[in-house]
Amino acid sequence: MKNLFFLKPTALALMVVNTHAQLIWVNEFHYDNTGGDVGEFVEIVAPSTFTDLSTITLTLYNGSGGASYGTHRLNTFTAGATSDGYTFYSKGFSSTLQNGAPDGFALDQSGTVLQFLSYEGTFQATSGAANGLTTSDIGVAESDP
């Protein structure tokens, strides 16, 4: 029973450390529909006390070749709700968010990559903040309804 008692606080401490290690992240995105591309967006979450929005960049990547095709600073996103100390920022991309297989984006802070995500497969970046890195595929794909 003593071992169980000591394991629970250790596991909890690791979870807290892991949770606080990633303070800014891509929370949600939409990249594809049936027919024309509409309603595409990316939502990023940051601590509500974080004010240097221009240091956060979302770089869009074409998975066919790994080149970046656009960058967007967090200060160009729309601030939304704040909940539990975090603010949600969103930006619509109309038809500019590529939906090939694969494609993706990197989130960085002053050049340090926080996330490099892809959809419908993985690839390696050949430019931008994630140059030389391989994506983490989100593991799901939007399907035709």
Side-chain angles (χ1 to χ4, degrees), residues 33-118:
N33 335 340
T34 301
D37 292 332
V38 294
E40 296 172 336
F41 72 93
V42 174
E43 178 182 78
I44 296 172
V45 178
S48 56
T49 57
F50 184 76
T51 58
D52 201 0
L53 303 181
S54 66
T55 65
I56 305 298
T57 304
L58 182 75
T59 302
L60 308 177
Y61 283 89
N62 183 333
S64 177
S68 63
Y69 66 91
T71 58
H72 303 268
R73 300 245 183 233
L74 189 55
N75 62 352
T76 67
F77 283 57
T78 301
T82 296
S83 178
D84 294 324
Y86 289 92
T87 301
F88 295 77
Y89 297 88
S90 63
K91 185 169 188 169
F93 285 93
S94 184
S95 63
T96 60
L97 196 59
Q98 292 184 2
N99 55 20
D103 286 315
F105 43 78
L107 184 68
D108 75 86
Q109 182 173 14
S110 301
T112 300
V113 175
L114 304 174
Q115 287 179 299
F116 188 27
L117 303 175
S118 59

Side-chain angles (χ1 to χ4, degrees), residues 26-37:
V26 172
N27 192 56
E28 183 178 3
F29 66 100
H30 172 67
Y31 69 92
D32 198 6
N33 335 340
T34 301
D37 292 332

